[in-house]
CSV table of all heavy atoms in Angstrom, one decimal:
chain,number,residue,atom,x,y,z
X,83,GLY,N,129.4,66.2,81.1
X,83,GLY,CA,128.7,64.9,81.0
X,83,GLY,C,129.5,63.9,80.3
X,83,GLY,O,130.6,64.1,79.8
X,84,MET,N,128.9,62.7,80.1
X,84,MET,CA,129.7,61.6,79.5
X,84,MET,C,130.1,62.0,78.1
X,84,MET,O,131.3,61.7,77.7
X,84,MET,CB,128.8,60.3,79.4
X,84,MET,CG,129.5,59.2,78.7
X,84,MET,SD,128.4,57.8,78.5
X,84,MET,CE,127.3,58.4,77.1
X,85,VAL,N,129.2,62.5,77.3
X,85,VAL,CA,129.5,62.8,75.9
X,85,VAL,C,130.3,64.1,75.8
X,85,VAL,O,131.3,64.2,75.1
X,85,VAL,CB,128.3,62.9,75.0
X,85,VAL,CG1,128.6,63.4,73.6
X,85,VAL,CG2,127.6,61.5,75.0
X,86,GLY,N,129.9,65.1,76.6
X,86,GLY,CA,130.5,66.4,76.5
X,86,GLY,C,132.0,66.3,76.9
X,86,GLY,O,132.9,67.0,76.3
X,87,SER,N,132.3,65.6,78.0
X,87,SER,CA,133.7,65.4,78.4
X,87,SER,C,134.6,64.8,77.3
X,87,SER,O,135.7,65.1,77.2
X,87,SER,CB,133.8,64.7,79.7
X,87,SER,OG,133.3,63.3,79.6
X,88,ARG,N,134.0,63.8,76.6
X,88,ARG,CA,134.7,63.2,75.5
X,88,ARG,C,135.0,64.2,74.4
X,88,ARG,O,136.0,64.2,73.8
X,88,ARG,CB,134.0,61.9,75.0
X,88,ARG,CG,134.4,60.6,75.7
X,88,ARG,CD,133.9,60.6,77.1
X,88,ARG,NE,134.2,59.3,77.7
X,88,ARG,CZ,133.8,59.0,78.9
X,88,ARG,NH1,133.1,59.8,79.6
X,88,ARG,NH2,134.1,57.8,79.5
X,89,ILE,N,134.0,65.0,74.1
X,89,ILE,CA,134.2,66.0,73.0
X,89,ILE,C,135.3,67.0,73.4
X,89,ILE,O,136.1,67.4,72.6
X,89,ILE,CB,132.9,66.7,72.7
X,89,ILE,CG1,131.9,65.8,72.1
X,89,ILE,CG2,133.1,67.9,71.8
X,89,ILE,CD1,130.5,66.3,72.0
X,90,ALA,N,135.2,67.4,74.7
X,90,ALA,CA,136.3,68.3,75.2
X,90,ALA,C,137.6,67.7,75.1
X,90,ALA,O,138.6,68.4,74.7
X,90,ALA,CB,136.0,68.7,76.6
X,91,THR,N,137.7,66.4,75.4
X,91,THR,CA,139.0,65.7,75.4
X,91,THR,C,139.5,65.6,73.9
X,91,THR,O,140.7,65.9,73.7
X,91,THR,CB,138.9,64.3,76.0
X,91,THR,OG1,138.5,64.4,77.3
X,91,THR,CG2,140.1,63.5,75.9
X,92,GLU,N,138.6,65.2,73.0
X,92,GLU,CA,139.0,65.1,71.6
X,92,GLU,C,139.4,66.4,71.0
X,92,GLU,O,140.5,66.5,70.3
X,92,GLU,CB,137.9,64.4,70.8
X,92,GLU,CG,138.2,64.2,69.4
X,92,GLU,CD,139.2,63.0,69.1
X,92,GLU,OE1,139.3,62.2,70.0
X,92,GLU,OE2,139.8,63.0,68.1
X,93,ALA,N,138.6,67.4,71.2
X,93,ALA,CA,138.9,68.7,70.6
X,93,ALA,C,140.2,69.3,71.1
X,93,ALA,O,141.1,69.8,70.4
X,93,ALA,CB,137.8,69.7,70.8
X,94,SER,N,140.4,69.2,72.4
X,94,SER,CA,141.7,69.7,73.1
X,94,SER,C,142.9,68.9,72.5
X,94,SER,O,143.9,69.5,72.3
X,94,SER,CB,141.6,69.6,74.6
X,94,SER,OG,142.7,70.0,75.2
X,95,ALA,N,142.7,67.6,72.4
X,95,ALA,CA,143.9,66.8,71.9
X,95,ALA,C,144.3,67.2,70.5
X,95,ALA,O,145.4,67.0,70.1
X,95,ALA,CB,143.5,65.3,72.0
X,96,ARG,N,143.3,67.7,69.7
X,96,ARG,CA,143.6,68.1,68.4
X,96,ARG,C,144.1,69.5,68.3
X,96,ARG,O,144.4,70.1,67.2
X,96,ARG,CB,142.4,67.9,67.5
X,96,ARG,CG,141.9,66.5,67.3
X,96,ARG,CD,140.9,66.4,66.2
X,96,ARG,NE,140.1,65.2,66.3
X,96,ARG,CZ,139.2,64.9,65.3
X,96,ARG,NH1,139.1,65.6,64.2
X,96,ARG,NH2,138.5,63.8,65.4
X,97,GLY,N,144.3,70.2,69.4
X,97,GLY,CA,144.9,71.5,69.4
X,97,GLY,C,143.9,72.6,69.4
X,97,GLY,O,144.3,73.8,69.3
X,98,HIS,N,142.6,72.3,69.5
X,98,HIS,CA,141.6,73.4,69.5
X,98,HIS,C,141.5,74.0,70.9
X,98,HIS,O,141.7,73.3,71.9
X,98,HIS,CB,140.2,72.8,69.1
X,98,HIS,CG,140.2,72.3,67.7
X,98,HIS,ND1,140.5,73.0,66.6
X,98,HIS,CD2,140.0,71.0,67.3
X,98,HIS,CE1,140.4,72.2,65.5
X,98,HIS,NE2,140.1,71.0,65.9
X,99,GLU,N,141.1,75.3,70.9
X,99,GLU,CA,140.9,76.0,72.2
X,99,GLU,C,139.5,75.7,72.7
X,99,GLU,O,138.6,76.1,71.9
X,99,GLU,CB,141.2,77.5,72.0
X,99,GLU,CG,141.0,78.3,73.3
X,99,GLU,CD,141.1,79.8,73.0
X,99,GLU,OE1,141.6,80.2,72.0
X,99,GLU,OE2,140.7,80.6,73.9
X,100,VAL,N,139.3,75.1,73.8
X,100,VAL,CA,138.0,74.7,74.3
X,100,VAL,C,137.7,75.5,75.6
X,100,VAL,O,138.5,75.5,76.5
X,100,VAL,CB,137.9,73.2,74.6
X,100,VAL,CG1,136.5,72.8,75.1
X,100,VAL,CG2,138.2,72.4,73.3
X,101,LEU,N,136.5,76.1,75.6
X,101,LEU,CA,136.0,76.7,76.8
X,101,LEU,C,134.8,75.8,77.2
X,101,LEU,O,133.8,75.6,76.6
X,101,LEU,CB,135.4,78.1,76.6
X,101,LEU,CG,134.7,78.7,77.8
X,101,LEU,CD1,135.7,78.8,79.0
X,101,LEU,CD2,134.1,80.1,77.4
X,102,ALA,N,135.1,75.1,78.3
X,102,ALA,CA,134.1,74.1,78.8
X,102,ALA,C,133.1,74.7,79.8
X,102,ALA,O,133.5,75.3,80.8
X,102,ALA,CB,134.9,72.9,79.5
X,103,VAL,N,131.8,74.7,79.4
X,103,VAL,CA,130.8,75.3,80.2
X,103,VAL,C,129.8,74.3,80.7
X,103,VAL,O,129.4,73.4,80.0
X,103,VAL,CB,130.0,76.3,79.3
X,103,VAL,CG1,129.0,77.1,80.1
X,103,VAL,CG2,130.9,77.2,78.5
X,104,SER,N,129.6,74.4,82.0
X,104,SER,CA,128.6,73.5,82.7
X,104,SER,C,128.0,74.3,83.9
X,104,SER,O,128.5,75.4,84.2
X,104,SER,CB,129.3,72.3,83.2
X,104,SER,OG,130.3,72.6,84.2
X,105,ARG,N,127.0,73.7,84.5
X,105,ARG,CA,126.5,74.3,85.7
X,105,ARG,C,127.5,74.3,86.9
X,105,ARG,O,127.5,75.2,87.7
X,105,ARG,CB,125.2,73.5,86.1
X,105,ARG,CG,124.0,73.7,85.1
X,105,ARG,CD,122.8,73.0,85.6
X,105,ARG,NE,121.7,73.1,84.7
X,105,ARG,CZ,120.8,74.1,84.7
X,105,ARG,NH1,120.9,75.1,85.6
X,105,ARG,NH2,119.8,74.1,83.9
X,106,SER,N,128.3,73.3,86.9
X,106,SER,CA,129.3,73.2,88.0
X,106,SER,C,130.5,74.1,87.8
X,106,SER,O,131.2,74.5,88.7
X,106,SER,CB,129.7,71.7,88.2
X,106,SER,OG,130.5,71.3,87.1
X,107,GLY,N,130.8,74.3,86.5
X,107,GLY,CA,132.0,75.1,86.2
X,107,GLY,C,133.3,74.3,86.3
X,107,GLY,O,134.4,74.8,86.2
X,108,GLN,N,133.2,73.0,86.5
X,108,GLN,CA,134.4,72.1,86.6
X,108,GLN,C,135.0,71.8,85.2
X,108,GLN,O,134.2,71.7,84.2
X,108,GLN,CB,134.1,70.8,87.3
X,108,GLN,CG,133.6,71.0,88.7
X,108,GLN,CD,133.2,69.7,89.4
X,108,GLN,OE1,133.1,68.7,88.7
X,108,GLN,NE2,133.1,69.7,90.7
X,109,SER,N,136.3,71.6,85.1
X,109,SER,CA,136.9,71.3,83.9
X,109,SER,C,136.9,69.8,83.7
X,109,SER,O,137.3,69.0,84.6
X,109,SER,CB,138.4,71.8,83.8
X,109,SER,OG,139.0,71.4,82.6
X,110,PRO,N,136.4,69.3,82.5
X,110,PRO,CA,136.4,67.9,82.3
X,110,PRO,C,137.7,67.3,81.8
X,110,PRO,O,137.9,66.1,81.8
X,110,PRO,CB,135.4,67.7,81.1
X,110,PRO,CG,135.5,69.0,80.4
X,110,PRO,CD,135.8,70.1,81.4
X,111,VAL,N,138.6,68.2,81.5
X,111,VAL,CA,139.9,67.8,81.0
X,111,VAL,C,141.0,68.7,81.6
X,111,VAL,O,140.9,69.9,81.6
X,111,VAL,CB,140.0,67.9,79.4
X,111,VAL,CG1,141.3,67.3,78.9
X,111,VAL,CG2,138.8,67.2,78.8
X,112,PRO,N,142.1,68.1,82.1
X,112,PRO,CA,143.2,68.9,82.7
X,112,PRO,C,143.7,69.9,81.6
X,112,PRO,O,143.9,69.6,80.5
X,112,PRO,CB,144.2,67.9,83.1
X,112,PRO,CG,143.5,66.6,83.3
X,112,PRO,CD,142.3,66.6,82.3
X,113,GLY,N,143.8,71.2,82.0
X,113,GLY,CA,144.3,72.2,81.1
X,113,GLY,C,143.3,72.9,80.3
X,113,GLY,O,143.5,73.9,79.7
X,114,VAL,N,142.0,72.4,80.3
X,114,VAL,CA,140.9,73.0,79.6
X,114,VAL,C,140.3,74.1,80.4
X,114,VAL,O,139.9,73.8,81.6
X,114,VAL,CB,139.9,72.0,79.1
X,114,VAL,CG1,138.6,72.7,78.5
X,114,VAL,CG2,140.5,71.1,78.0
X,115,THR,N,140.1,75.3,79.9
X,115,THR,CA,139.5,76.4,80.7
X,115,THR,C,138.0,76.0,80.9
X,115,THR,O,137.3,75.6,79.9
X,115,THR,CB,139.6,77.7,79.9
X,115,THR,OG1,141.0,78.0,79.7
X,115,THR,CG2,139.0,78.8,80.7
X,116,ALA,N,137.5,76.3,82.1
X,116,ALA,CA,136.1,76.0,82.4
X,116,ALA,C,135.4,77.1,83.1
X,116,ALA,O,136.1,78.0,83.7
X,116,ALA,CB,136.0,74.7,83.3
X,117,THR,N,134.1,77.2,82.9
X,117,THR,CA,133.3,78.2,83.6
X,117,THR,C,131.9,77.7,83.8
X,117,THR,O,131.5,76.7,83.2
X,117,THR,CB,133.3,79.5,82.8
X,117,THR,OG1,132.7,80.6,83.6
X,117,THR,CG2,132.4,79.3,81.5
X,118,ALA,N,131.2,78.3,84.8
X,118,ALA,CA,129.8,77.9,85.1
X,118,ALA,C,128.9,78.9,84.4
X,118,ALA,O,129.1,80.1,84.4
X,118,ALA,CB,129.6,78.0,86.6
X,119,ALA,N,127.8,78.3,83.8
X,119,ALA,CA,126.8,79.1,83.1
X,119,ALA,C,125.6,78.2,82.8
X,119,ALA,O,125.7,76.9,82.8
X,119,ALA,CB,127.3,79.7,81.9
X,120,ASP,N,124.5,78.8,82.6
X,120,ASP,CA,123.2,78.1,82.3
X,120,ASP,C,122.9,78.4,80.8
X,120,ASP,O,122.8,79.6,80.4
X,120,ASP,CB,122.1,78.6,83.1
X,120,ASP,CG,120.8,77.9,83.0
X,120,ASP,OD1,120.6,77.2,81.9
X,120,ASP,OD2,119.9,77.9,83.9
X,121,ALA,N,122.8,77.4,80.0
X,121,ALA,CA,122.6,77.5,78.5
X,121,ALA,C,121.2,78.2,78.2
X,121,ALA,O,121.0,78.6,77.1
X,121,ALA,CB,122.7,76.2,77.8
X,122,THR,N,120.3,78.2,79.2
X,122,THR,CA,119.0,78.9,78.9
X,122,THR,C,119.2,80.4,79.0
X,122,THR,O,118.3,81.2,78.5
X,122,THR,CB,118.0,78.5,79.9
X,122,THR,OG1,118.4,78.9,81.2
X,122,THR,CG2,117.8,77.0,79.9
X,123,ASP,N,120.3,80.9,79.5
X,123,ASP,CA,120.5,82.4,79.7
X,123,ASP,C,121.2,82.9,78.4
X,123,ASP,O,122.4,82.8,78.3
X,123,ASP,CB,121.4,82.6,80.9
X,123,ASP,CG,121.6,84.1,81.2
X,123,ASP,OD1,121.4,84.9,80.3
X,123,ASP,OD2,122.0,84.4,82.4
X,124,ALA,N,120.4,83.4,77.5
X,124,ALA,CA,120.9,83.8,76.2
X,124,ALA,C,122.0,84.9,76.3
X,124,ALA,O,123.0,84.9,75.5
X,124,ALA,CB,119.8,84.3,75.3
X,125,ALA,N,121.8,85.8,77.2
X,125,ALA,CA,122.8,86.9,77.4
X,125,ALA,C,124.2,86.3,77.9
X,125,ALA,O,125.2,86.7,77.4
X,125,ALA,CB,122.3,87.9,78.4
X,126,LYS,N,124.1,85.3,78.8
X,126,LYS,CA,125.4,84.7,79.2
X,126,LYS,C,126.0,83.9,78.1
X,126,LYS,O,127.2,83.9,77.9
X,126,LYS,CB,125.1,83.8,80.4
X,126,LYS,CG,126.3,83.2,81.1
X,126,LYS,CD,127.2,84.3,81.6
X,126,LYS,CE,128.4,83.7,82.4
X,126,LYS,NZ,129.3,84.7,82.9
X,127,VAL,N,125.2,83.2,77.4
X,127,VAL,CA,125.7,82.4,76.2
X,127,VAL,C,126.4,83.3,75.3
X,127,VAL,O,127.5,83.1,74.8
X,127,VAL,CB,124.5,81.7,75.5
X,127,VAL,CG1,125.0,81.1,74.2
X,127,VAL,CG2,123.9,80.6,76.4
X,128,ALA,N,125.8,84.5,75.0
X,128,ALA,CA,126.4,85.4,74.0
X,128,ALA,C,127.7,85.9,74.6
X,128,ALA,O,128.7,86.1,73.8
X,128,ALA,CB,125.4,86.6,73.8
X,129,ASP,N,127.8,86.3,75.9
X,129,ASP,CA,129.0,86.7,76.5
X,129,ASP,C,130.2,85.7,76.3
X,129,ASP,O,131.3,86.1,76.0
X,129,ASP,CB,128.8,87.0,78.0
X,129,ASP,CG,128.0,88.3,78.2
X,129,ASP,OD1,127.9,89.1,77.3
X,129,ASP,OD2,127.5,88.5,79.3
């Protein structure tokens, strides 16, 4: 999203390791690892 992609960009630029999670599984920032998941799924969130 608009805000999430900016957070991913900022955190990655500072050298943090970011796993970007969304329904689409697309990476908001080149080089940032991304995956698809639903935040309502507690078991998947935990994994």
Side-chain angles (χ1 to χ4, degrees):
M84 179 188 70
V85 174
S87 62
R88 268 72 178 181
I89 293 171
T91 298
E92 182 69 25
S94 179
R96 296 195 198 185
H98 299 298
E99 179 185 349
V100 179
L101 176 59
V103 187
S104 66
R105 291 182 183 273
S106 69
Q108 296 179 345
S109 177
V111 185
V114 168
T115 303
T117 191
D120 186 338
T122 63
D123 185 341
K126 186 64 173 179
V127 171
D129 286 344

